[in-house]
Amino acid sequence: MKENLGNLTLELLQSINDAVYILDENGNVIQANDTFCRMLGYDLNELLTLNAKDYNASWDSEKILTTIRQLKNRTETFEIIHRRKDGSSFDAEVSAKGITINKQDYLFCITRDISERKKTQTFIKESEKKFRALFENAMDAILLLDIQSFRIFDCNPATEEMFGKSRNQIIHSLIQEFSPELQKNGEKSDELINFFINKALSGEKTKFEWCFAIADKEILAELNLYKVDINGNSILQLICKDITEKRKSEEQLNLLSQSINQSSSAVIITDINGNIEYVNDTFCKLTGYSREEVIGQNPRFLKSGYTFPETYKKLWENIISGKQWNGEFLNKRKDGTLYWESARISPVKNEQGEITHFIGVKDDVTKLKKLLDELRIAKAKAEETNRLKTSFLANMSHELRTPLVGILGCASMIAEDTKEPLTQELANIINKSGQRLHETLNAILDLTRLESETLPVDLKPVNILPLLRNSYELFLNEAKLKGLNLYLDVDEEEILAFADLSLLKSVLAHLISNAVKYTETGGVSIRAFTNENKIIIKVVDTGIGIPDSYQDIIFEPFRQVSEGYNRQFEGSGLGLTLTKKYVKLMNGRIWFNSKVGEGSAFFVELNATANKIDMSTEVTAQKSVIADFKEKKVLLVEDDPINIQTISAFIGNLVQLTTVNNAADAIAMIKERQFDLILMDIGLSGDKNGLDVAREIRSIKNYFSTPIAAVTAYALDSDREKILSSGCTHYLAKPFPRQKLIELLEEIFSE
Ligand code: ADP
């Protein structure tokens, strides 16, 4: 068979550059050129002994024989693996053509080593796979745009997620279809995107911010747009990074850092070792150091040396254990001046709860501290002044009251004893003037008490009717003397109010007294009634009235409608001030209506109560029967000769009265004789005051429980408490009318 082909065939084969060989119908190699020999590593003689199955690593002899049979007069190309003589193998592409020579079938084969091409193909496939995977799994949205129409022809799942649409809803659209009409900079979306596309087409890589608007949702993205060439075809690739959240956080961060920077407090942030990482502008202004000077430093350069080391120790203990520390430092500025700062230092923790930084927020409190110091001094001064005022008032009250005992006492005794009309009239004038002085004194004292002490208020459910009657009766005579009618107009059987009886008594006295005082003709009526849950007391007069401009003024201390040298009415101007304060203390209201020349109506509103009457609040009528205590031995300890005379005149004929004018004589007398009552002046001149004597008396045999009545011009509440807790059992404030002293004797001797 080989002979059939002859040497010519070999020469022909040798002239072909590719590796060529011929197989007979059984697959035996019958001719091959050098290229094929070299390809497989055999020489020609060796090769001519081989069958195709010896170097075709892909097929068995069966497949080889069938292929040869099938390829009669036909050409086909296969990719198979060839094995070299040394056993190594390579990819080969075989083009085989069946030929028939002299009725003999042969296979003419051209073999190319395609291992390099194969490698490249595999590589391309692999990289295509890789890139597809990258495309599919990219976090950023990737969109591929057609270079002609600029329409999207592919996008990755990240785009679907970002746009909230499926791939099918996205492709074939233009970018501007997912964008608002105008971008943030005011330019039209379609014009702007075309501008960037043209830039990308010219080979530039463009990066820009883009705002998408998809279903009312705004997405801010950072876009990278560039042209990509694939196998000679160009496409546009658009990578979109969603920066909506990032931008929001950036804006927030910016806001935060701006607010920290512009904060009126100095802010300082250090690392865990206390080295400064950040300070704001206020810190620089406060300390005088620039930012560059302090970054990286430990804040100890601010120390003035005046803060106790213990303070720093406590500060560190606190913040290292994760707690906030608040405190004050006296620090030093760059120029050496000192300043007080109030600091709050707190640890900053990371997500793992570890402390990473410390943040200090500090305020310059130098001025505040100075102000506080001044305030403290001012307060101390004010307290001292107040103390002096109280003591001044107590002394003045004492000094004014003491002579009043003599004036009022003597005047009333003279008026009682004399038959002489002129003397009687003079005594009455003394008595009236004394009373006025007494009232003014009491009003000033009451006002001081309201301002300097907390006046005890005893609010309880009371029937105010007896008190109204009593107040009415008190002024009957005065009204009658002026030719005025005084009415009490009450329909109800009892009027239950939530009130303090003694305060209400003063309120009524002031209002009725004013009404009578400021009325020349006509009359005054007192009316009281219940109105839902309120009690209204109305004092109406037909007097001179109050001008509108004085509506508020008359409630101010010492203010009167008629003021100055020409004033037409006597009075201190304190009555309504006290009245208003008393009403307020009873949680009530006071107001009035008035017309000049026609009269005034004053209203007091109190809270009503449904409770039963407290019987103890019933006001008892003044007793006028003078009891006789002839058997009672009374010792009067008093250093003022006029007061001794007055009191002696008051009760000298009712009891067995002994008088002494100093502490030593008092003690001696008490030790010598047994008294039933001691009337004790408190402000005794000498070493011991009345309270000292009272205390001493208590240690004397048989005097443990003898009544001691303090008869004193110390009339403040605090005085009263002090007196009653120092051994005295009773208290009578000077000046007092004879009747008051007699009532006291009755009270004591009837116990
Ligand atoms: P005083 O009566 O001692 O002057 P008040 O505080 O009680 O002080 O009253 C203040 C002023 O209000 C009085 O001076 C008087 O001008 C005016 N005022 C009070 N009550 C009446 C009244 N019923 N009618 C007319 N004016 C009055």
Side-chain angles (χ1 to χ4, degrees):
M1 275 179 266
K2 280 179 199 168
E3 287 75 49
N4 279 342
L5 295 167
N7 281 337
L8 178 68
T9 333
L10 184 61
E11 266 173 46
L12 272 171
L13 293 187
Q14 293 295 25
S15 67
I16 300 173
N17 279 338
D18 288 325
V20 278
Y21 56 94
I22 299 170
L23 302 179
D24 65 12
E25 58 186 351
N26 296 318
N28 296 318
V29 181
I30 59 160
Q31 200 55 275
N33 68 358
D34 283 350
T35 315
F36 189 60
C37 292
R38 272 198 305 280
M39 192 181 260
L40 294 186
Y42 294 101
D43 61 28
L44 184 60
N45 289 332
E46 283 173 325
L47 207 57
L48 294 177
T49 64
L50 296 184
N51 185 283
K53 69 172 168 40
D54 297 324
Y55 60 84
N56 184 341
S58 304
W59 298 348
D60 55 14
S61 33
E62 183 71 33
K63 167 100 176 150
I64 294 169
L65 292 179
T66 358
T67 309
I68 294 172
R69 247 174 270 131
Q70 282 169 355
L71 281 181
K72 266 192 183 165
N73 295 321
R74 275 199 317 116
T75 308
E76 207 163 305
T77 306
F78 316 98
E79 278 187 15
I80 49 175
I81 295 168
H82 279 5
R83 185 167 291 116
R84 295 190 187 90
K85 182 183 173 184
D86 63 9
S88 63
S89 59
F90 61 94
D91 286 298
E93 187 188 68
V94 180
S95 287
K97 185 175 166 68
I99 47 173
T100 311
I101 300 170
N102 295 336
K103 292 187 186 150
Q104 286 291 315
D105 291 331
Y106 300 99
L107 200 64
F108 179 74
C109 303
I110 304 174
T111 294
R112 272 183 219 108
D113 183 344
I114 56 160
S115 37
E116 277 312 308
R117 195 175 91 199
K118 262 277 192 228
K119 250 194 229 160
T120 315
Q121 271 178 357
T122 321
F123 176 75
I124 289 173
K125 254 195 209 150
E126 287 283 300
S127 60
E128 244 184 27
K129 237 170 107 189
K130 264 189 223 156
F131 283 111
R132 189 79 215 170
L134 278 177
F135 180 75
E136 295 291 328
N137 298 313
M139 301 287 280
D140 296 335
I142 304 175
L143 299 103
L144 304 181
L145 313 187
D146 180 69
I147 204 145
Q148 304 290 334
S149 64
F150 308 154
R151 287 187 181 276
I152 303 162
F153 69 85
D154 201 359
C155 69
N156 65 349
T159 313
E160 294 179 307
E161 199 176 313
M162 182 169 158
F163 284 16
K165 288 180 179 295
S166 71
R167 185 177 173 278
N168 284 338
Q169 292 171 305
I170 298 170
I171 57 169
H172 306 309
S173 304
L174 292 164
I175 293 297
Q176 50 266 45
E177 290 172 37
F178 298 117
S179 313
E181 199 185 329
L182 299 178
Q183 285 296 306
K184 295 273 178 217
N185 60 3
E187 291 191 44
K188 285 185 171 170
S189 288
D190 51 356
E191 286 174 13
L192 197 61
I193 196 72
N194 287 341
F195 165 78
F196 287 121
I197 286 176
N198 284 324
K199 251 175 115 176
L201 286 176
S202 71
E204 251 184 81
K205 273 192 176 179
T206 51
K207 191 173 178 177
F208 52 97
E209 269 183 21
W210 192 259
C211 185
F212 290 104
I214 302 156
D216 294 339
K217 202 175 115 192
E218 213 173 68
I219 304 166
L220 192 69
E222 191 180 77
L223 306 193
N224 274 290
L225 178 67
Y226 41 89
K227 193 173 77 171
V228 187
D229 290 312
I230 302 170
N231 302 332
N233 294 319
S234 295
I235 60 159
L236 285 165
Q237 174 161 298
L238 183 68
I239 301 177
C240 315
K241 197 185 207 54
D242 187 345
I243 56 166
T244 320
E245 289 306 315
K246 189 180 147 208
R247 184 50 49 86
K248 263 192 213 154
S249 338
E250 274 172 7
E251 278 166 6
Q252 243 170 19
L253 217 65
N254 193 32
L255 190 76
L256 271 173
S257 84
Q258 284 301 324
S259 36
I260 290 180
N261 212 20
Q262 289 166 19
S263 153
S264 59
S265 302
V267 178
I268 168 169
I269 300 175
T270 74
D271 65 15
I272 185 96
N273 298 317
N275 297 320
I276 299 175
E277 286 192 359
Y278 169 87
V279 290
N280 68 351
D281 290 349
T282 313
F283 174 90
C284 298
K285 260 186 241 148
L286 174 66
T287 61
Y289 288 100
S290 73
R291 205 164 266 144
E292 294 69 37
E293 282 175 308
V294 302
I295 300 289
Q297 303 289 321
N298 186 295
R300 66 171 71 94
F301 61 84
L302 293 169
K303 280 189 183 179
S304 64
Y306 291 108
T307 305
F308 291 109
E310 190 59 24
T311 308
Y312 294 112
K313 208 176 139 221
K314 279 227 171 83
L315 150 72
W316 277 103
E317 276 170 9
N318 260 277
I319 59 175
I320 280 179
S321 66
K323 287 185 234 145
Q324 191 187 31
W325 181 87
N326 298 315
E328 283 180 351
F329 298 120
L330 182 60
N331 275 350
K332 195 168 70 183
R333 293 190 183 87
K334 190 179 174 184
D335 64 8
T337 53
L338 300 179
Y339 67 96
W340 276 103
E341 68 172 27
S342 154
R344 299 173 296 287
I345 301 176
S346 357
V348 181
K349 294 177 185 169
N350 63 13
E351 279 175 8
Q352 287 75 48
E354 299 154 349
I355 298 173
T356 58
H357 291 85
F358 297 110
I359 178 159
V361 181
K362 296 137 170 259
D363 290 303
D364 182 358
V365 289
T366 319
K367 275 190 195 146
L368 194 77
K369 267 189 136 7
K370 211 172 141 207
L371 230 98
L372 275 174
D373 283 347
E374 284 170 6
L375 216 70
R376 238 174 255 135
I377 295 168
K379 190 174 168 243
K381 269 191 191 154
E383 277 169 1
E384 175 65 7
T385 312
N386 199 33
R387 206 182 54 73
L388 288 174
K389 187 184 97 184
T390 313
S391 124
F392 167 79
L393 271 164
N395 284 338
M396 281 316 288
S397 154
H398 182 260
E399 288 314 301
L400 291 171
R401 276 168 190 277
T402 308
L404 272 175
V405 177
I407 295 169
L408 292 174
C410 292
S412 65
M413 293 300 288
I414 292 168
E416 265 178 41
D417 285 358
T418 188
K419 303 273 178 297
E420 192 62 41
L422 181 67
T423 317
Q424 204 158 39
E425 198 187 324
L426 292 176
N428 281 338
I429 292 171
I430 298 173
N431 193 35
K432 226 173 144 192
S433 308
Q435 283 298 349
R436 197 176 136 201
L437 194 63
H438 186 204
E439 275 161 23
T440 307
L441 189 65
N442 279 344
I444 295 177
L445 213 67
D446 281 353
L447 192 68
T448 322
R449 247 184 345 187
L450 277 172
E451 278 168 10
S452 63
E453 300 175 25
T454 37
L455 190 80
V457 182
D458 184 19
L459 278 184
K460 52 189 173 191
V462 285
N463 178 11
I464 62 165
L465 211 53
L467 181 61
L468 279 166
R469 275 204 200 101
N470 197 250
S471 306
Y472 158 77
E473 278 161 14
L474 267 178
F475 287 93
L476 260 181
N477 202 34
E478 202 177 324
K480 208 168 135 195
L481 284 175
K482 279 186 88 175
L484 302 174
N485 292 317
L486 185 64
Y487 306 100
L488 176 64
D489 181 5
V490 187
D491 301 335
E492 295 161 57
E493 280 188 0
E494 54 178 20
I495 299 179
L496 299 180
F498 217 69
D500 175 311
L501 265 187
S502 86
L503 294 186
L504 186 58
K505 192 174 167 188
S506 299
V507 168
L508 291 170
H510 282 303
L511 293 181
I512 303 169
S513 151
N514 276 352
V516 172
K517 183 162 135 192
Y518 297 105
T519 305
E520 292 309 323
T521 52
V524 173
S525 79
I526 307 158
R527 221 173 104 63
F529 53 92
T530 313
N531 183 12
E532 289 182 2
N533 53 353
K534 301 285 177 196
I535 300 293
I536 312 282
I537 302 168
K538 215 169 145 185
V539 180
V540 187
D541 64 59
T542 54
I544 59 168
I546 302 161
D548 280 352
S549 52
Y550 280 84
Q551 289 274 334
D552 295 325
I553 293 175
I554 59 162
F555 288 107
E556 288 175 19
F558 306 108
R559 296 304 305 268
Q560 298 170 313
V561 173
S562 166
E563 288 174 338
Y565 294 127
N566 303 328
R567 73 185 188 133
Q568 294 147 7
F569 295 92
E570 292 166 344
S572 62
L574 288 172
L576 286 182
T577 313
L578 286 170
T579 302
K580 190 169 178 175
K581 283 183 192 278
Y582 290 157
V583 171
K584 206 169 158 209
L585 281 173
M586 292 188 283
N587 303 322
R589 283 197 308 141
I590 180 167
W591 71 98
F592 71 92
N593 297 326
S594 184
K595 211 158 187 194
V596 176
E598 290 185 17
S600 313
F602 278 81
F603 299 83
V604 170
E605 184 191 79
L606 297 172
N607 289 320
T609 167
N611 287 11
K612 283 264 177 299
I613 325 157
D614 179 344
M615 293 310 287
S616 66
T617 62
E618 295 278 2
V619 177
T620 44
Q622 284 193 358
K623 289 175 190 164
S624 53
V625 190
I626 299 172
D628 192 337
F629 310 111
K630 287 254 160 43
E631 299 305 309
K632 300 292 181 188
K633 295 184 183 70
V634 177
L635 176 67
L636 170 66
V637 187
E638 169 66 79
D639 62 350
D640 187 285
I642 295 177
N643 282 354
I644 293 176
Q645 272 186 341
T646 311
I647 294 172
S648 303
F650 278 178
I651 56 168
N653 56 350
L654 298 180
V655 295
Q656 295 178 27
L657 187 70
T658 310
T659 61
V660 286
N661 64 1
N662 63 69
D665 286 356
I667 300 292
M669 187 64 79
I670 285 161
K671 281 185 177 160
E672 194 187 307
R673 295 177 22 199
Q674 184 65 44
F675 289 96
D676 301 305
L677 165 68
I678 296 147
L679 296 174
M680 179 71 70
D681 176 33
I682 300 301
L684 288 177
S685 50
D687 295 348
K688 290 179 187 162
N689 63 31
L691 295 183
D692 300 327
V693 181
R695 267 183 234 110
E696 216 172 311
I697 292 171
R698 289 291 172 229
S699 61
I700 296 170
K701 203 177 159 218
N702 293 338
Y703 274 95
F704 180 70
S705 58
T706 307
I708 304 176
V711 181
T712 175
Y714 290 112
L716 295 174
D717 281 343
S718 52
D719 295 328
R720 187 194 188 97
E721 279 157 28
K722 208 162 125 200
I723 288 165
L724 292 177
S725 63
S726 299
C728 295
T729 50
H730 297 77
Y731 173 94
L732 185 63
K734 287 179 186 173
F736 45 84
R738 184 177 182 227
Q739 182 61 32
K740 262 258 158 32
L741 182 56
I742 292 168
E743 275 173 24
L744 181 74
L745 295 183
E746 280 175 346
E747 185 191 329
I748 292 170
F749 293 137
S750 65
E751 273 168 9

